[in-house]
Amino acid sequence: MTQISALIVEDEATIAELVATMLETQGITATISPSVADAMHRLQTDVYTLALVDLTLPDGEPDAFIEAARARGSQVIAMSGDPDRLASYAPLPLLEKPFRMKALLEHVRQAVPVLN
């Protein structure tokens, strides 16, 4: 069985921990990254099946990270509480905050079909 890993790029610790816990219940190894810089660093040393990325981070836009993650084969799900900002990241899978865990899992299953 292939190990599935996720990088959660989210500066709000409560949200990040909740998402990590939910993913781990599905057998996904979850790593939390609070900033773009930290996420970029982790991407240099580890491979992630999935990246869940908040679009509003303290150290700037996540665009370079999203591009790098996709280039390394990661499936990316964008998250934001700002619907207009979120829409600008289509055609990536989009998750509007606040979201239900059921919606999160649906997006994850679509991004990583092996979970179905």
Side-chain angles (χ1 to χ4, degrees):
M1 183 172 151
T2 303
Q3 178 60 47
I4 299 170
S5 60
L7 182 61
I8 304 159
V9 187
E10 170 64 68
D11 62 314
E12 294 182 45
T14 303
I15 294 172
E17 290 169 16
L18 189 59
V19 170
T21 299
M22 182 56 64
L23 294 176
E24 288 169 352
T25 67
Q26 301 301 305
I28 298 171
T29 302
T31 302
I32 296 171
S33 181
S35 67
V36 175
D38 183 70
M40 290 296 280
H41 176 74
R42 290 178 187 276
L43 202 56
Q44 291 172 6
T45 58
D46 294 310
V47 176
Y48 298 95
T49 312
L50 179 66
L52 293 103
V53 184
D54 182 23
L55 300 178
T56 307
L57 294 161
D59 60 342
E61 301 286 326
D63 297 16
F65 168 77
I66 290 171
E67 185 178 319
R70 293 181 76 197
R72 287 173 175 81
S74 298
Q75 298 297 314
V76 176
I77 298 173
M79 307 181 295
S80 180
D82 180 347
D84 294 329
R85 182 171 175 78
L86 197 59
S88 71
Y89 281 81
L92 289 176
L94 309 173
L95 197 55
E96 186 176 347
K97 294 178 185 177
F99 51 82
R100 297 190 182 280
M101 286 300 123
K102 184 176 179 181
L104 168 70
L105 289 177
E106 181 65 29
H107 276 74
V108 169
R109 286 187 181 112
Q110 287 176 7
V112 187
V114 73
L115 290 175
N116 292 326

